[in-house]
Amino acid sequence: MSDEGHDPSTPTTPPQLSDAGAPLLFRPRREPFEHGLLPIPKLIFSDGTLTLGPLRDKLIGLSSTHAGRVDAPALAEALQISPGHARLVLDALASVLPSDPLDRAGTADVYDLVLFLYIQTYKRLLPKAHKDSATVADVWPSTSAFDGFFSALSPIQLVRSNSRRSMPSQADEEAHQLSYLQKHMANMLDLLAESVEGEGDECLVLTLERFEHLGFLIQIGEKGGGEIPLREASPFFANSDPDMPAVPVPAAHVHDWVLQNIAASLEHTTEKVPVRENGPVNTSDQDVAMTDACMSHIRPQCSSSLSGTTMQSNAARSQTFVEGFSKASVVKQACDIKGHSIKVLNCHDSVIYILAPLKYATVYGCSDSTIILGAIGKAVRVEHCERVQVITAAKRICIANCRECVFFLGVNQQPLIVGDNHKLQVAPYNTFYSQLGEHMAQFGIDATVNRWNEPLVLGMVDPHDSLSHPAGVSDVQAESATCLDPAQFSNLLEATISIFFLTSFRFACAA
């Protein structure tokens, strides 16, 4: 950004944060942490800015022909990775940006890319023992076609493989992510700042353009609900003249403001929820010193059954959950879903229809089920599932730690397979519903490109997983997916879905 009319060597002291008005709530953008982490060792820099600072400068030099943007060949050269992995990095970054980039030439902004590389140091919270392990054991037995395989494993591997775990609560995950940002914000701001003449904290300044890159990782809302653009929430740039370049501010002042608001947000949520939803946060992750806090989100129940619940969070963080169904059929259409993402969690021996256009979808901890996802515009993640059939049309999909699953895919990018997977099969997309074409067009999913049979395997060990990995597992060859035998391929016809809708409607009316 140009700084005409201002000498950057004499940054102006910004106004102090006022206590007046509605307090701000800082929330992490969950998407980079849930869908943007790649288990590629060369992307993980344990020394933070010592490596990423020079890398940023190198990327800026390589981006001269793209006006501050980096393409795959330049990224491959800078990181010394393969062109295929460089392409994967850019695709993954594009899938978790707050908005679609205007540039469609397969490039990424240098500063978005540097923040994306920085968060590859993040470690997820440990999964927890399922709160209803007896029920899960009933529908997800310990015996499996893999018993012969597991018998050859060490006792540690056997325990890990047979443990029934559930995803940490959204509240705990958001607190964990916010604490990670709190710990690493100084380094992130250093990567965004530019140097000017001065001493101490005054020699690094942030322009408005650089400051707004924080929106990749942070969302800001008011306690009364609603989301506030980053530039309007800050005391530094809120009153900037749109016709004049905003005055750069010292990065140290921005750092103090961000930390103050993160601390207040964690304290506020602790006051709102004194007792944790799923028990205490596991603090075994050494990277982040967890604050004793729990993010508070109201999930008003919109429907329920004896075997599961469908819930939605508040407007500021609207997300739909389909959770805990057993031996049931569930249908959700666009009119039933709030927000841009859905999570299907711990459903067993069930059929789940999600016939709606969404940006993100997560399927976690399910077994013996069929899950049909409508058009997913950015990313699908399927994790810790067993004997599940997933049918989806999506830009991209990541499959992690699954067993005996079949994926019927219409995907524009290579299916990504990470972690400890066994006996996976892939096949072409095999269903249709009347609004499918409209939903795909809404998010730019190309119906003429389907890379279902080009799985990309990244390895057994996920460095973002806080679980300790047994010794020697890194030397084990990761298992890819095989193509489904054509003799076993069949279409899930729209008529089947229509009949199910009609049956469900009649049942609801009778009830």
Side-chain angles (χ1 to χ4, degrees), residues 412 440 445-450:
N412 294 166
M440 291 174 66
I445 300 172
D446 189 345
T448 67
V449 176
N450 190 1

Side-chain angles (χ1 to χ4, degrees), residues 146-161:
F146 292 106
D147 283 346
F149 173 79
F150 285 136
S151 64
L153 298 182
S154 68
I156 295 178
Q157 290 171 308
L158 187 61
V159 169
R160 287 187 60 239
S161 300

Side-chain angles (χ1 to χ4, degrees), residues 430-461:
N430 68 334
T431 192
F432 174 79
Y433 61 97
S434 58
Q435 293 178 295
L436 178 61
E438 175 187 341
H439 290 172
M440 291 174 66
Q442 182 174 336
F443 284 121
I445 300 172
D446 189 345
T448 67
V449 176
N450 190 1
R451 305 184 70 180
W452 67 273
N453 59 342
E454 304 175 40
L456 176 61
V457 182
L458 285 189
M460 287 280 285
V461 177

Side-chain angles (χ1 to χ4, degrees), residues 85-412:
H85 281 179
R87 179 74 265 162
L88 173 63
V89 170
L90 296 184
D91 287 342
L93 172 57
S95 74
V96 295
L97 287 172
S99 59
D100 292 324
L102 297 177
D103 186 300
R104 300 289 181 178
T107 64
D109 182 276
V110 168
Y111 293 97
D112 287 336
L113 179 57
V114 169
L115 290 180
F116 179 78
L117 293 175
Y118 192 100
I119 66 167
Q120 300 303 315
T121 61
Y122 177 76
K123 289 185 180 293
R124 301 184 187 94
L125 270 178
L126 283 172
K128 301 175 181 179
H130 196 280
K131 61 184 177 181
D132 192 0
S133 56
T135 300
V136 174
D138 179 58
V139 297
W140 192 354
S142 298
T143 57
S144 165
F146 292 106
D147 283 346
F149 173 79
F150 285 136
S151 64
L153 298 182
S154 68
I156 295 178
Q157 290 171 308
L158 187 61
V159 169
R160 287 187 60 239
S161 300
N162 284 335
S163 61
R164 301 310 179 199
R165 297 179 177 274
S166 61
M167 176 182 286
S169 71
Q170 174 149 316
D172 285 346
E173 281 193 327
E174 290 200 2
H176 188 61
Q177 292 159 9
L178 201 58
S179 294
Y180 172 86
L181 295 175
Q182 183 181 47
K183 176 180 178 181
H184 294 276
M185 185 54 59
N187 287 342
M188 294 178 180
L189 291 176
D190 282 350
L191 292 171
L192 296 177
E194 58 184 71
S195 299
V196 296
E197 293 182 6
E199 297 181 359
D201 293 341
E202 303 295 317
C203 67
L204 290 177
V205 299
L206 279 173
T207 62
L208 172 59
E209 182 182 28
R210 302 273 185 90
F211 172 74
E212 289 190 311
H213 285 284
L214 287 180
F216 173 51
L217 298 173
I218 293 174
Q219 288 180 315
I220 301 178
E222 296 175 305
K223 289 187 179 180
E227 189 173 331
I228 307 173
L230 192 62
R231 67 187 298 168
E232 295 180 14
S234 78
F236 314 108
F237 303 108
N239 299 316
S240 300
D241 186 341
D243 297 324
M244 293 290 293
V247 175
V249 298
H253 293 168
V254 177
H255 182 236
D256 291 344
W257 176 75
V258 171
L259 291 191
Q260 177 181 345
N261 280 281
I262 288 178
S265 298
L266 289 170
E267 181 179 356
H268 167 74
T269 53
T270 304
E271 293 172 353
K272 296 291 286 185
V273 186
V275 180
R276 299 189 195 293
E277 175 186 352
N278 284 344
V281 175
N282 192 313
T283 58
S284 62
D285 178 6
Q286 299 301 312
D287 181 70
V288 180
M290 285 297 298
T291 302
D292 188 20
C294 182
M295 301 298 289
S296 169
H297 292 289
I298 302 171
R299 296 183 191 168
Q301 181 175 308
C302 59
S303 66
S304 66
S305 77
L306 294 177
S307 57
T309 58
T310 306
M311 299 175 287
Q312 296 164 358
S313 62
N314 61 18
R317 295 287 294 160
S318 192
Q319 185 171 210
T320 300
F321 293 78
V322 176
E323 184 169 9
F325 285 92
S326 177
K327 297 179 173 63
S329 296
V330 181
V331 181
K332 304 300 289 184
Q333 300 182 77
C335 59
D336 303 314
I337 294 174
K338 303 298 182 183
H340 59 68
S341 66
I342 193 163
K343 290 188 174 181
V344 181
L345 309 174
N346 296 313
C347 293
H348 310 283
D349 195 18
S350 297
V351 180
I352 313 292
Y353 295 85
I354 310 295
L355 306 182
L358 294 160
K359 290 184 179 180
Y360 300 97
T362 298
V363 179
Y364 187 100
C366 298
S367 68
D368 300 292
S369 299
T370 297
I371 299 167
I372 299 95
L373 301 173
I376 309 300
K378 292 213 168 188
V380 177
R381 184 176 179 88
V382 183
E383 188 169 6
H384 292 298
C385 290
E386 182 172 328
R387 299 184 301 277
V388 166
Q389 294 188 49
V390 176
I391 304 170
T392 185
K395 280 280 182 67
R396 68 194 309 264
I397 185 170
C398 178
I399 302 163
N401 305 306
C402 292
R403 301 162 58 183
E404 302 176 69
C405 296
V406 184
F407 298 87
F408 296 90
L409 304 176
V411 289
N412 294 166

